[in-house]
Amino acid sequence: MALAHEVAFEVNLIEDDGGLAGWAPVGTRTALSAHAERDTAMLISGAVSAAEPNERIRRSSGRYIVASRRADEEDGLRRAVPAGALVPRVTYRVVGWVSVQGQGDGRHHAVRVGLRVDGDGGDDERGSWLDCGAARVEVGGGWAEINGAFRLRASPRVAAVHVHGAPAGVDVKVMDLQVYATDRKARLTQLKEQTDKVRKRDVILKLGGGATMAGASIRVAQLENRFPFGSCINKTAIRNPKFVDFFCDNFDWAVVLREAYAHPAVEGVVLWGFMEGQMWRRDAYLVDADGTVNEAGQRFLQLQREWRSDARGIVDGDGRFKFRGFHGTYVAQVTTATGKMLKTFTVEKGDNSLELDLDIEI
């Protein structure tokens, strides 16, 4: 079995020349054809999202494949992944551009990309299916980015990427589809940097008394993080195998939470549960039945500690103290030769530096 350090990161496993070679139709009536897009200006760097500014820029080739005469939502097109290319416990990204054309102008349709492993790769439904991403595309509305990921527990004998979705009769178009391994350590470093940009803010504390407070010792500790975590009690959703397998079987949870926390559009996280015997998903609990916080729970608590700010230092000559902290509630303790003073304050979301008058006088 190949080890993670032997994996070629950021290398497209399904590189093609934009023609039909390597692509196959899915569906008894589906037909494939190759085309070229004249206007690709909008696609120059569209695969680089706001949450991932350091990722490589994937420029559009302008060449795409159309799957037409589709008779079912499952019909579309597929491309085999080279044998032995997928390594267990490595995170793979799936990115590309999709579009639709045909009936229902002005309507939106979902286009999905998935990975079928250890089936025959054709129309046979045997083998395992992993959802890898989806995009909501407007008919006649141009191209939309599709972006997903997956992980495998074992090396598959056969694997193929399958693009489908949208109702029968609607053509599905695919441009520059890529499957590549990501460097987990490098990604975690990137996520920490992105988290700092998305979830933190520069704060300037202005203490009452101004220069008279110069030289005072100050410690700032975060009491509450404004990013909410909750526990799911809806058994209907968590009993959906596709929903559960997509997250539990394909991802490292420490990684999933970091991805969520680093993305500006995510406002909170809901877990399936937290205590053994009180949740449906086996081995996904954070607290054992006897109340002991297990290893997974300890990692979760470590993340929560990591996502809280603690700063200390000396008040400057103007009676100010600067730090960078996560959004939430804080307490500041100021110590001088004559005593101590505590003051609570809140760091709200914002793009600019935040200046707060603490009105602390000892």
Side-chain angles (χ1 to χ4, degrees), residues 67-255:
S68 58
R69 297 170 52 188
R70 300 171 52 254
D72 187 81
E73 288 189 2
E74 297 298 320
D75 292 349
L77 63 167
R78 72 175 188 274
R79 188 177 180 89
V81 179
L86 298 178
V87 178
R89 295 182 294 279
V90 171
T91 300
Y92 292 87
R93 298 290 298 277
V94 181
V95 299
W97 297 96
V98 293
S99 183
V100 293
Q101 64 183 20
Q103 302 173 352
D105 286 349
R107 295 183 56 191
H108 291 84
H109 299 304
V111 176
R112 306 183 184 280
V113 61
L115 186 77
R116 189 173 298 283
V117 296
D118 291 339
D120 67 354
D123 297 331
D124 190 1
E125 292 298 322
R126 294 175 298 176
S128 300
W129 172 264
L130 299 176
D131 283 312
C132 299
R136 187 169 180 262
V137 189
E138 181 180 358
V139 177
W143 295 89
E145 177 191 357
I146 197 163
N147 196 330
F150 66 89
R151 297 184 78 193
L152 298 172
R153 292 182 174 180
S155 297
R157 293 180 290 104
V158 179
V161 179
H162 178 189
V163 183
H164 64 107
V170 176
D171 297 344
V172 174
K173 303 191 292 186
V174 181
M175 180 189 295
D176 298 339
L177 191 66
Q178 300 186 46
V179 177
Y180 59 93
T182 61
D183 187 331
R184 185 176 183 274
K185 291 184 178 180
R187 181 59 177 163
L188 289 179
T189 299
Q190 181 183 346
L191 287 174
K192 287 184 178 181
E193 295 174 353
Q194 183 60 25
T195 294
D196 184 271
K197 296 178 182 179
V198 173
R199 304 293 175 186
K200 284 186 174 182
R201 191 174 183 184
D202 291 321
V203 182
I204 301 174
L205 302 180
K206 298 186 293 184
L207 281 61
T212 63
M213 299 295 291
S217 174
I218 183 171
R219 179 182 178 182
V220 176
Q222 188 168 6
L223 302 176
E224 177 192 27
N225 190 307
R226 287 296 176 88
F227 188 85
F229 285 95
S231 179
C232 179
I233 59 175
N234 186 342
K235 293 185 178 181
T236 300
I238 63 176
R239 288 183 183 275
N240 185 332
K242 291 184 178 180
F243 178 84
V244 173
D245 291 342
F246 176 69
F247 290 101
C248 282
D249 294 340
N250 303 325
F251 292 106
D252 181 334
W253 267 108
V255 175

